[in-house]
Amino acid sequence: MTVSLALLLLGVLAAVAAPRLMSRADWRDREPVVALWVWQCVVAAVLLCFALSMTFSAAAAWQAVRGHVFASAPHGVMEAYALAAYGPWSAVIAVLLACGGVWTAAMLVREIRRAHVGRRQRRAELLVRSPLMPGEEPGSDRLVVLEGERPDAWWLPGAAPQLVITTAALQRLKGRQLDAVLAHEQGHARARHDWLLHCASALAIGFPQIPVFAAFRDEMHRLVELAADDVASRRFGRLTIALALVELNEDRGVFGPCAMSDAELPRRVHRLLSAAPRLTAGRRLRLTAAASFVPVVPLLVAFVPGLRALG
């Protein structure tokens, strides 16, 4: 089996099997930060498999590409890959994977542009609802209070990130609950969760039929909230952030018996109140190390023939 085909099959296998394996992991909600890292490593490995498969297929199909790929390789390395035996399908595979790469980049640019436009519109709406005072510059205040009957709070990312909170939320939140909400939103900002969500959305929109990308997007939206909840709970306690979530969302009907929208909120509150024990530091380290090794597997598959030739 050629290296290109092996990498392609490895990428397809990982794209299909990874969501099923991750769905069976019972530690994801207990360690959302570790789960975020595992997901990122898996997606990086899938993309790396396809990129390396495209490279070797292109090298087998066209002499010019082959010269660039193996330009600095020692004698005997290129022969170890037996590129001449790849057959006529190498050009087809290379072109299809290259189109997939271009499409991925286009979707990412589209998602970033859409997020930028949406952020600019929200800032314009914010200026309308909360106009600047004479001498005040846009973005000078990290906390913006809006008049509103609906309790709400959200982080507005950008060059000058701001936390926006309504007066109804200020009336609802008691004691340290407001501080817990601030810590939750700052957890999103410090970890740059917005960029992670943009990348996940771009892959899922560009390739909706690939299971790993759809699962990656869904899990990112869920896990970033759990990670931010943990940031707030470590500073102000699980009960405080759980009560703050209830106060902010009680009027939306998400906690009723027939709740249809935002079903994750009751699960988040239940998770905070149940206080399941974290994994041991040793197990967290092992999971992180194992996930970090996943993107190395495609590199090993790609370089083993060349290393054998040198050995």
Side-chain angles (χ1 to χ4, degrees):
M1 182 182 292
T2 63
V3 174
S4 175
L5 185 58
L7 288 167
L8 182 61
L9 292 178
L10 180 62
V12 172
L13 178 63
V16 174
R20 299 180 181 179
L21 293 176
M22 286 298 294
S23 65
R24 298 173 184 172
D26 58 355
W27 50 266
R28 294 173 300 155
D29 290 357
R30 296 161 63 187
E31 296 294 341
V33 175
V34 178
L36 285 169
W37 175 247
V38 172
W39 269 109
Q40 292 175 75
C41 290
V42 168
V43 171
V46 171
L47 296 176
L48 193 56
C49 283
F50 294 151
L52 290 172
S53 179
M54 177 194 68
T55 301
F56 284 109
S57 297
W62 298 291
Q63 180 64 38
V65 178
R66 190 182 315 169
H68 286 290
V69 172
F70 294 96
S72 58
H75 178 71
V77 171
M78 186 172 66
E79 289 76 9
Y81 287 91
L83 298 176
Y86 275 39
W89 286 101
S90 58
V92 177
I93 295 175
V95 170
L96 289 177
L97 291 176
C99 291
V102 172
W103 183 249
T104 301
M107 290 296 101
L108 184 58
V109 171
R110 175 191 173 190
E111 180 66 21
I112 293 175
R113 183 178 300 174
R114 185 190 64 81
H116 178 71
V117 171
R119 188 161 55 241
R120 188 169 55 188
Q121 290 177 347
R122 289 194 297 271
R123 288 193 180 277
E125 295 172 358
L126 186 62
L127 287 176
V128 172
R129 297 181 61 185
S130 179
L132 298 176
M133 301 296 290
E136 187 180 5
E137 296 183 1
S140 58
D141 292 330
R142 295 179 64 86
L143 178 63
V144 179
V145 179
L146 294 180
E147 287 285 345
E149 298 179 356
R150 179 178 179 179
D152 204 356
W154 68 92
W155 188 264
L156 190 60
Q162 293 176 301
L163 176 66
V164 184
I165 190 167
T166 63
T167 53
L170 291 177
Q171 295 171 0
R172 284 287 189 91
L173 300 176
K174 305 175 182 64
R176 299 205 304 171
Q177 293 175 7
L178 177 59
D179 295 329
V181 172
L182 295 177
H184 174 98
E185 299 300 336
Q186 288 171 353
H188 284 311
R190 289 171 182 167
R192 299 311 302 267
H193 287 159
D194 54 327
W195 283 102
L196 188 58
L197 295 176
H198 294 331
C199 293
S201 296
L203 290 172
I205 294 173
F207 304 95
Q209 289 81 19
I210 299 182
V212 70
F213 295 150
F216 180 52
R217 176 190 56 189
D218 296 340
E219 283 291 279
M220 289 305 98
H221 282 278
R222 192 177 68 87
L223 291 172
V224 296
E225 295 298 336
L226 300 186
D229 287 344
D230 288 348
V231 170
S233 67
R234 280 193 288 270
R235 292 183 58 186
F236 301 101
R238 290 177 174 268
L239 180 60
T240 302
I241 184 62
L243 292 175
L245 290 175
V246 172
E247 292 291 346
L248 288 176
N249 298 279
E250 188 176 14
D251 294 341
R252 302 180 188 180
V254 296
F255 295 104
C258 300
M260 297 297 293
S261 62
D262 210 350
E264 282 299 322
L265 268 170
R267 298 192 186 105
R268 287 168 57 191
V269 173
H270 176 73
R271 170 181 175 270
L272 289 166
L273 296 179
S274 61
R278 297 187 64 186
L279 301 180
T280 63
R283 188 177 180 189
R284 292 200 303 271
L285 181 61
R286 289 193 296 271
L287 285 171
T288 303
S292 302
F293 182 73
V294 172
V296 180
V297 174
L299 296 175
L300 292 177
V301 174
F303 293 131
V304 159
L307 294 175
R308 284 180 177 174
L310 294 176

